[in-house]
Amino acid sequence: MPADAPLLGAIEAGGTKFVLGVGHGPEAILEQVQIATRDPETTLAETIAFFRQHPGLAAIGIGSFGPLERDRSQAKWGHILATPKPGWSDCDLAGAIARALDVPIGFDTDVNAAALAEARLGAARDAKVSVYVTIGTGIGGGVIADGRIVGGTGHPELGHMRPRRAPDDRDFAGHCPFHGDCLEGLASGPAIIARWGQSLSHLAPEHEAHGIIAGYLAEMCNSLRAALAPDAIVLGGGVMGTPGLFDRIIAQAAACDGGYFALSAEKVIRRPALAPISGLAGAFQLAADLL
């Protein structure tokens, strides 16, 4: 790391916690702390106080829960939009920090930040096109092409695609309040608990849930392969910590693809290389891109 490398700030803003970092990049973090996500006033005050202890910041990157406005041409840029997180709808997250600290702000979704980090520094660094998907409290995804985040009017909502239901899996209506049995409504952590009463990692290895969830996530992977032809699909998030799930997904994706795709499921579907700091590493990338 050059001695004159700029000092950067990074924020992974989650619905449960904010992870704050200061350093010259994810490989040279000087200090990292975690604070609880409470109401916006309290959380932002603690965030600003942390960064004020580190004068000379060149930029701060924020990867945040959403939905949010990531288009700088829009009046609501930097805001969290209509979120189910109580009290946070219409919060001007980026603006509040920029005004308090007088530094440039890079702002995007937490999953886009993680996708950027894995593409540039992690499991997908050899890929021209990559997708990062987090399977946890929700299901979200980011797409990277040639090292840049792909987005149009908003940001991808991969969790709200609808997988084909398995023939023997028709009774559960789904947990998503908008779509019922979209991917998030079937395979997210809360959906699994709503259906079977426990997290996937706490269900017996022979429980039907393991095959059902792996099947839906495998179908997601194959849909992404068909739509985007990615070199890499990186699967992160708490649900992916379930023993055996990653291998089940690859096996089911390979069994269902009919040998159609140029790259095998084993080569394309990957574990994160930067976990558990993929999101924070991406926030550092958002900050560095401003310089």
Side-chain angles (χ1 to χ4, degrees):
M1 180 65 61
D4 60 348
L7 189 64
L8 304 173
I11 303 170
E12 182 182 6
T16 302
K17 64 182 183 295
F18 273 40
V19 182
L20 314 176
V22 168
H24 303 292
E27 71 286 358
I29 298 175
L30 302 177
E31 185 175 359
Q32 178 180 325
V33 301
Q34 178 179 306
I35 63 173
T37 305
R38 291 176 281 177
D39 60 275
E41 182 178 3
T42 303
T43 307
L44 291 178
E46 292 184 359
T47 297
I48 291 164
F50 169 78
F51 286 114
R52 280 182 171 155
Q53 299 172 28
H54 301 277
L57 290 172
I60 295 175
I62 304 172
S64 174
F65 69 93
L68 52 79
E69 181 54 73
R70 60 185 297 273
D71 185 346
R72 286 183 180 270
S73 69
Q74 299 299 312
K76 289 280 189 178
W77 175 82
H79 286 64
I80 295 174
L81 302 178
T83 177
K85 180 70 175 174
W88 283 84
S89 291
D90 206 36
C91 172
D92 184 9
L93 177 57
I97 293 172
R99 288 188 293 272
L101 300 172
D102 192 26
V103 293
I105 301 292
F107 184 71
D108 217 309
T109 67
D110 49 0
V111 71
N112 273 350
L116 189 65
E118 290 291 344
R120 292 183 178 177
L121 306 170
R125 63 188 306 169
D126 62 332
K128 181 179 177 64
V129 177
S130 63
V131 183
Y132 175 89
V133 185
T134 181
I135 303 104
T137 303
I139 295 180
V143 181
I144 307 296
D146 294 325
R148 297 292 178 183
I149 296 168
V150 174
T153 57
H155 42 80
E157 292 286 1
L158 302 184
H160 296 286
M161 64 171 67
R162 267 201 166 92
R164 178 174 53 184
R165 297 295 292 265
D168 59 348
D169 179 43
R170 302 287 186 182
D171 295 335
F172 182 58
H175 192 63
C176 175
F178 298 99
H179 311 118
D181 63 346
C182 63
L183 189 66
E184 185 169 291
L186 293 173
S188 66
I192 293 167
I193 292 171
R195 187 173 192 179
W196 289 295
Q198 298 183 72
S199 65
L200 192 62
S201 60
H202 284 93
L203 293 169
E206 66 274 12
H207 195 284
E208 65 172 354
H210 295 280
I212 289 172
I213 297 303
Y216 289 135
L217 296 176
E219 186 167 344
M220 172 197 73
C221 289
N222 283 348
S223 295
L224 292 172
R225 293 164 78 196
L228 299 171
D231 308 275
I233 299 172
V234 182
L235 302 181
V239 172
M240 289 305 303
T242 303
L245 179 60
F246 183 82
D247 292 334
R248 284 178 181 266
I249 292 169
I250 290 180
Q252 293 205 39
C256 295
D257 70 16
Y260 184 77
F261 299 109
L263 298 177
S264 67
E266 291 85 352
K267 185 169 184 178
V268 173
I269 302 171
R270 307 178 184 182
R271 302 177 191 269
L274 301 174
I277 66 159
S278 299
L280 190 68
F284 274 112
Q285 292 291 299
L286 294 173
D289 282 353
L290 296 175
L291 305 181

